[in-house]
Amino acid sequence: MFKIQTLNKISVVGLNNFPRDNYEVASELNNPDAILVRSADMHEMTLSENTKAVARAGAGTNNIPCKELAEKGVVVFNTPGANANAVKELVILALLISSRPVVAANKWVNTELTGKGDEIAALAEKGKSKFVGPELKGKTLGVIGLGAIGAQVANTAIALGMNVIGYDPFLSVKAALSLDHNVKVSETLEGIYAKADYITIHVPQTDETKGMINAASIKTMKDGVRIINLARGGLVNNADILAALESGKVSAHVTDFADEALMNNDKVICLPHLGASTPEAEDNCAVMAVKELRDFLETGAITNSVNFPRATIDSQIPANGTRLCIPHKNVPGMIAKFTTILGDAKLNIAGIVDQSRGDIAYAMIDVDGKVGEESLKLLKNCEAVISVRPIYA
């Protein structure tokens, strides 16, 4: 019986994919095998030594100490692409409301025209000139990051009649193939900054990307550019963008990350992190997270991990056999150590995979027959081994 602890409210559609005859799922559990989380901060949590994995029902993992967990052999999963359509739709809304000041117009109608009775129609006609804004058609959109979300944004913008320039130094073959052929790809950020009337950001927050929208980068942009950030708050330097808004260099800023400095500014629209706040996205993320945990707990397979390499074995665990799942430090000679121990125990290896990611590696070894406690102990005692988990057929 596997124990799954939930730290937030997780979609029932996803949780129903845990077969209850083999899984116990609850918010309060001792020694869980895995944890399902959305936004709960795990940085100060002390995890049970029994915890083998954490799955984030969403893309961002800033609330999880991924590096520290990797060193303990705990695999952290996320669900890239599961909420892509929800975020894409909000980006399109952000493009529209950054151009057409409908938020300000609605506020004006509700404050200035309330109680005016028969005069409302005439006053509305007289006052509407204050809320003129440009159309999207024919304008140029710069998309920074062409992953699951950025690619969908780019394609939808093309359908709206916009010119689209994308930038992604790590553009995958899958993402490239998903792009509309009319999307142009720039080799540099400067190629976007110089031409884009609108810029939308879709990259993770790292040491390299934090504060990437700042005084220096804004200086190279077109006058009157509109900037949309529904990715991560730290990607934009708030002080610098406020200065640019004040000077008119930036016409509007839409952010999904409310901040005291940005509030009550007529040129800023702050949203309360609504990017993936649709029932469909929550269901999709939960379903994907549950599948990742089940695959890992039941077969040892790792997909969509942010701190471990991708690792799978296509074949089933041998009949009456054992699959060994071994997180270890990425140092030379580890496979030789494992095979020597298993060979000395007269155990035949039916299949083996060993993948690495930075300082961390992960081995999956299929063995004909049951691996005994003595062999497991020898494997665990190997220098640089983090843990050993046998899965028996």
Side-chain angles (χ1 to χ4, degrees), residues 71-232:
E71 293 170 354
K72 296 177 180 179
V74 178
V75 182
V76 178
F77 297 96
N78 69 344
T79 57
N83 60 11
N85 186 71
V87 180
K88 176 207 73 176
E89 290 186 1
L90 195 65
V91 173
I92 301 306
L93 174 63
L95 287 172
L96 291 165
I97 62 178
S98 71
S99 295
R100 306 290 295 274
V102 293
V103 174
N106 175 255
K107 182 178 179 180
W108 177 79
V109 166
N110 288 328
T111 56
E112 299 299 322
L113 301 188
T114 296
K116 300 298 184 181
D118 294 340
E119 300 179 72
I120 288 177
L123 290 171
E125 284 298 318
K126 183 178 179 180
K128 71 179 184 181
S129 60
K130 295 184 291 187
F131 305 106
V132 173
E135 298 180 12
L136 298 181
K137 185 177 180 181
K139 304 302 188 302
T140 297
L141 171 65
V143 182
I144 301 174
L146 293 169
I149 297 170
Q152 287 196 33
V153 169
N155 292 346
T156 303
I158 289 289
L160 291 172
M162 301 187 78
N163 305 308
V164 179
I165 307 172
Y167 170 79
D168 193 330
F170 307 107
L171 182 63
S172 68
V173 173
K174 181 179 179 181
L177 291 173
S178 72
L179 286 174
D180 187 290
H181 71 278
N182 291 302
V183 176
K184 297 178 181 179
V185 179
S186 173
E187 294 185 0
T188 65
L189 279 170
E190 288 70 26
I192 289 208
Y193 294 156
K195 299 176 181 178
D197 302 297
Y198 301 78
I199 293 173
T200 181
I201 315 165
H202 301 286
V203 296
Q205 183 176 312
T206 65
D207 291 341
E208 291 73 28
T209 61
K210 187 174 182 179
M212 64 183 293
I213 303 299
N214 54 41
S217 59
I218 292 171
K219 186 177 181 180
T220 66
M221 297 177 190
K222 290 181 67 174
D223 291 344
V225 66
R226 291 168 165 83
I227 298 174
I228 296 163
N229 176 26
L230 306 186
R232 285 291 176 267

Side-chain angles (χ1 to χ4, degrees), residues 90 255-258 269-275 277:
L90 195 65
T255 177
D256 211 11
F257 308 96
I269 297 175
C270 285
L271 304 175
H273 204 185
L274 295 179
S277 293

Side-chain angles (χ1 to χ4, degrees), residues 301-335:
I302 296 178
T303 56
N304 296 323
S305 174
V306 299
N307 65 346
F308 266 76
R310 178 185 178 88
T312 61
I313 292 181
D314 292 335
S315 59
Q316 300 288 325
I317 301 174
N320 301 314
T322 308
R323 175 167 293 169
L324 298 170
C325 304
I326 310 176
H328 62 91
K329 298 293 179 62
N330 185 21
V331 296
M334 297 305 297
I335 294 302

Side-chain angles (χ1 to χ4, degrees), residues 241-242 245 251-255 262-270:
I241 203 161
L242 285 170
L245 288 164
S251 291
H253 178 45
V254 183
T255 177
L262 299 174
M263 295 177 185
N264 299 308
N265 186 310
D266 291 341
K267 295 183 178 182
V268 178
I269 297 175
C270 285

